[in-house]
Amino acid sequence: MEIKKYTFLPHGDERGQLVVVEENKDIPFDVKRVYYIYDTLADVTRGFHAHKCLEQVLICVHGSCKIHLDNGFETEEVLLDKPYEGLYISNDMWREMYDFSSDAVLLVLASQYYDEADYIRNYDEFLKFVRSKNS
Ligand code: T46
């Protein structure tokens, strides 16, 4: 499976680091929504869904976590532990987030407003969704 990761250029100087992410330049979509996840307990796994349309970029701006990706044919585990690195997740990708360090802050840039109707929360439904697109 091809994993799309972006490395954003930190503007570092003697004061520290500053990272910029511009829509349609550093990432391939308009950013309609930003949310972040923190204080996640060590044994918690989040996600367990795909989306019909939503595209996202995940940046672990502090600490670390792992992302399990499943495109219906292959799976991959991705470690996010750099505040200047973004993981692109297309809509049709089942995702689970786990192994959060106690200090992890996972920032998400999303291409659409929140819409519960865009979620595919049933794994069999997800398989049907991706396989019908690929047949
Ligand atoms: C995704 C992964 C990476 C809202 O009200 N607005 C929002 O924009 C979001 C994202 C969530 N919520 C509410 C809905 C739930 O009551 O916040 C609660 C927790 O959301 P959820 O259980 O969907 O969180 P995760 O961590 O399982 O999934 C989230 C995103 O929902 C999802 O799109 O790809 O992070």
Side-chain angles (χ1 to χ4, degrees):
M1 182 194 307
E2 194 195 335
I3 301 297
K4 215 188 247 184
K5 261 189 181 179
Y6 301 108
T7 302
F8 310 117
L9 182 68
H11 296 269
D13 59 25
E14 65 284 356
R15 297 169 299 173
Q17 304 294 332
L18 185 156
V19 175
V20 182
V21 181
E22 292 190 339
E23 60 181 7
N24 294 310
K25 286 187 183 174
D26 302 301
I27 59 169
F29 53 78
D30 290 340
V31 177
K32 292 251 177 55
R33 181 165 53 105
V34 175
Y35 61 92
Y36 46 93
I37 294 169
Y38 65 100
D39 271 358
T40 311
L41 299 181
D43 55 352
V44 161
T45 303
R46 307 187 62 118
F48 298 100
H49 57 256
H51 283 276
K52 292 175 190 157
C53 299
L54 186 71
E55 296 173 86
Q56 301 189 106
V57 169
L58 276 57
I59 306 169
C60 197
V61 292
H62 198 257
S64 64
C65 65
K66 287 180 186 155
I67 316 293
H68 167 85
L69 295 176
D70 178 344
N71 64 9
F73 301 91
E74 295 173 275
T75 65
E76 196 81 48
E77 177 185 280
V78 181
L79 172 69
L80 289 181
D81 62 353
K82 296 180 184 68
Y84 52 83
E85 204 169 73
L87 172 68
Y88 173 79
I89 305 188
S90 59
N91 60 313
D92 49 2
M93 188 75 78
W94 188 266
R95 79 285 317 263
E96 295 167 19
M97 302 89 78
Y98 59 102
D99 266 5
F100 286 84
S101 61
S102 57
D103 58 351
V105 181
L106 181 63
L107 177 75
V108 183
L109 309 176
S111 66
Q112 303 292 332
Y113 298 119
Y114 178 68
D115 177 10
E116 181 55 39
D118 189 64
Y119 284 71
I120 305 172
R121 295 192 182 274
N122 178 284
Y123 188 72
D124 290 335
E125 199 185 308
F126 160 71
L127 289 181
K128 274 189 210 145
F129 180 74
V130 285
R131 289 182 181 169
S132 67
K133 281 175 64 177
N134 287 282
S135 61

